[in-house]
Amino acid sequence: MSWHVLLIFFLSLGLGTTLTFASSHWLLAWMGLEINTLAIIPLMAKQHHPRAVEATTKYFLTQATAAAAILFASATNAWAIGQWEVSCLTDPTACTIAMTALALKIGLAPMHFWLPEVLQGVTLTTGLILSTWQKLAPFALILQVANNAHPHLLMALAICSTLVGGWGGLNQTQLRKILAYSSIAHLGWMILVAQVAPQLTLLALITYIVMTAAAFLTLIMVNSTKTITLASTWTKAPALSALTCLTLLSLGGLPPLTGFLPKWMILMEVTNQGFLLTATVIALTALLSLYFYLRLTYTMTLTLSPHTSNSPAPWRVPTKLQTLPLSISVTLATCLLPLAPTLLALVEWS
């Protein structure tokens, strides 16, 4: 695929996301989501491999179903109250349908079944786009719809997502599926406080994008898609391996790394709202996620010597790849906790 075609697709991705950000009308928001979907599909299918075509088909059918449900919910709301504004989604039935469709679009449990399979079938670069950029436009709508949604629906989606994200990643050996279940768990944390503290949802989304970008860029750099190939990473790039371990622990929410900040603030907010049982459950599910991050860390650091690796991994990291995005994302994924007051003030101001 030539760079001209890639540029058109990436500009279309930006156009779709910007259109959804800037729209206050449901038809324009729906149009932005559709442009996003149609722009990412050629990037997913460019491998010309049956697995990639299967993942592309699953993604298209899922996103088309969610977009149709969003259009139906907006039409139902317009029929009930006569308003097409995104912020005026006050009809209970329409709001429930729209929130469920947006949950399907980003991969919240129990509508998560497409996400691990789709990420497993695409390249690491496309998986990075699916896990980060493609979450922005639906979350822009979620933050506007959440005010009118039923709080029990949001809480059920959040608890189910954190449980599924924790349990689902325990027995995985494919790194893309592990990051998919990590995405599901993090989305559950974000959706939990979308109604009572949207600024914390925004903070959690930003830190999730930074940490996930660091993880994907690291896997792209070392050309690794399975846990067994991580064992030889320490020999190829010891400094990058050490930073990768810190990034994985940050994804797990271990202090004093960046990933601890949103989970700490969300737990404080949920506790202040009086949902002590919910705070306890999601804190325990975070331990499940932390377990498989620790398992990856163990694989990278403690399984090489004195055993030899049976994986056909190259012994040199390719130096032609751009390392500036990787260095920036890894630094932000591990060192932002001391800047927590500044970040909170920035998010609340925006």
Side-chain angles (χ1 to χ4, degrees), residues 192-260:
L192 183 62
V193 292
Q195 191 173 54
V196 295
Q199 70 275 9
L200 292 184
T201 300
L202 184 59
L203 176 65
L205 178 62
I206 293 172
T207 54
Y208 159 76
I209 288 175
V210 169
M211 294 184 296
T212 304
F216 269 104
L217 290 172
T218 302
L219 297 182
I220 293 171
M221 179 65 66
V222 299
N223 193 22
S224 179
T225 58
K226 299 179 181 179
T227 55
I228 190 173
T229 58
L230 288 177
S232 60
T233 307
W234 189 269
T235 305
K236 294 187 293 182
L240 182 59
S241 298
L243 292 174
T244 304
C245 294
L246 292 178
T247 302
L248 292 173
L249 295 179
S250 181
L251 274 169
L254 199 68
L257 302 171
T258 302
F260 175 66

Side-chain angles (χ1 to χ4, degrees), residues 254-282:
L254 199 68
L257 302 171
T258 302
F260 175 66
L261 171 61
K263 293 187 177 181
W264 176 36
M265 300 303 296
I266 289 172
L267 282 176
M268 288 180 58
E269 182 65 31
V270 174
T271 304
N272 291 334
Q273 295 292 330
F275 300 108
L276 298 179
L277 181 60
T278 302
T280 304
V281 171
I282 63 170

